[in-house]
Amino acid sequence: AQLGLCRCLRLLGLSSQMKDCAEGALKRWGREAERLRLGACALGAAWRLREWGEVSRLSAEARYVSREGWQSTGCAEALYEFELARALLALRNGETAAVAPHCDSARAALVPLLAAASMESYAHTYSFLVRLQVLQELQAAVPLLSRLEPPDGSPLRIDAAAEAALEETLGQWDARAASMSSSIQALEPVIALRVCLGHELLARLDGFGEAPPSQAAAAGRLRGELHRKLGGCWLRLAKSARAAGNTESAGNALAQARLHDSTLATVQCAEMDWAAGRA
């Protein structure tokens, strides 16, 4: 029941409540399988909240579990969540070489689940394909983030290659979005990752505030483009939630979109009010 509640809170965009729910249940459950699944929920909420100290603490608590232990407890999906969080933490800490091994471990955890689901139907398979897309987009962003974080002692610099790499990454996001399912269940994992990566990119671009004028201007352009893209991600999630009749999820997504692109968020909010008869 607690796992179902955590999943519902994630789809509602209530990551803080999801984390509290999972950690509260962890204090009451003693069986290893349930603890690993609840720990994965708490960890997923922590990286969505970008609480990296909590991500480090929670991910360390399951390091004692071997791969065989994960498989024997039937917690392969939880292993995926742990490895994804560890990959994001490594990226956050500048340990880019550690991202690929964690992503490989996450993929390996999904393989038997994907094989079993493919024997049933495409609908059962799709959620695992979405998770594989999450891992691919995470690894694809590593070179871009590395370009904006030069070696120690080197001056910050945005060159044409870095701008082109960001435009290519954002273009790939748009291309994939066009072929994705519009359900909240399919969109949320991908959008959550893109928002996390977007904030990491924005944090690096903020370091150009005192750079030479040309570099500061380039960083400003890239920040504007990133904010528009992140606003668009949240708006798509809001539209999906609205179409499903989930007004609370839509409202939470609109609140997040307003932080990045207030104009488009206001227009979407007005459309929702009109459809609800509140205009």
Side-chain angles (χ1 to χ4, degrees):
Q2 293 299 318
L3 290 170
L5 178 58
C6 286
R7 284 191 288 269
C8 290
L9 291 170
R10 175 172 61 82
L11 296 177
L12 286 171
L14 302 174
S15 296
S16 181
Q17 290 89 330
M18 173 185 169
K19 182 171 177 291
D20 290 342
C21 176
E23 292 200 304
L26 275 170
K27 297 176 182 177
R28 301 191 299 273
W29 286 88
R31 288 183 294 179
E32 184 176 50
E34 283 78 7
R35 291 188 63 82
L36 291 174
R37 293 189 181 98
L38 288 166
C41 289
L43 196 53
W47 71 255
R48 284 170 171 81
L49 294 167
R50 298 183 295 282
E51 295 179 355
W52 299 110
E54 287 294 284
V55 172
S56 179
R57 178 183 67 82
L58 290 164
S59 61
E61 290 181 356
R63 290 190 184 277
Y64 68 91
V65 184
S66 66
R67 178 169 294 279
E68 292 75 17
W70 286 102
Q71 298 293 342
S72 65
T73 55
C75 296
E77 290 187 66
L79 175 57
Y80 163 85
E81 294 292 344
F82 271 87
E83 292 295 348
L84 172 60
R86 288 166 181 163
L88 287 167
L89 182 62
L91 186 64
R92 165 72 177 183
N93 293 337
E95 301 167 357
T96 54
V99 174
H102 287 306
C103 288
D104 289 343
S105 295
R107 286 192 188 90
L110 291 179
V111 168
L113 302 175
L114 179 60
S118 65
M119 300 295 289
E120 298 180 19
S121 67
Y122 179 74
H124 284 89
T125 306
Y126 192 78
S127 65
F128 297 109
L129 297 179
V130 168
R131 295 177 203 185
L132 291 175
Q133 178 182 339
V134 166
L135 296 174
Q136 193 281 330
E137 292 194 4
L138 171 55
Q139 285 189 268
V142 171
L144 174 58
L145 285 158
S146 298
R147 286 181 180 274
L148 298 176
E149 189 174 24
D152 293 341
S154 301
L156 292 171
R157 178 174 176 78
I158 298 178
D159 54 18
E163 292 195 59
L166 177 61
E167 292 176 0
E168 180 182 3
T169 297
L170 298 182
Q172 290 173 350
W173 287 5
D174 287 338
R176 293 192 185 99
S179 59
M180 285 184 63
S181 167
S182 60
S183 70
I184 303 176
Q185 291 84 350
L187 289 175
E188 193 280 333
V190 176
I191 289 178
L193 175 81
R194 291 178 179 180
V195 169
C196 185
L197 293 176
H199 279 278
E200 288 302 307
L201 286 165
L202 288 170
R204 284 161 172 74
L205 291 171
D206 287 342
F208 289 82
E210 298 181 0
S214 61
Q215 292 291 296
R221 289 195 302 272
L222 295 181
R223 275 197 300 270
E225 183 63 25
L226 266 172
H227 277 299
R228 285 190 292 273
K229 194 63 62 178
L230 293 177
C233 285
W234 284 115
L235 284 175
R236 178 164 188 192
L237 192 63
K239 290 177 181 178
S240 175
R242 174 191 171 194
N246 194 331
T247 56
E248 185 171 0
S249 290
N252 290 333
L254 280 174
Q256 294 296 326
R258 191 171 284 113
L259 298 176
H260 300 285
D261 193 329
S262 59
T263 302
L264 285 177
T266 300
V267 171
Q268 181 65 23
C269 187
E271 290 180 0
M272 289 178 61
D273 288 342
W274 180 272
R278 295 192 297 266

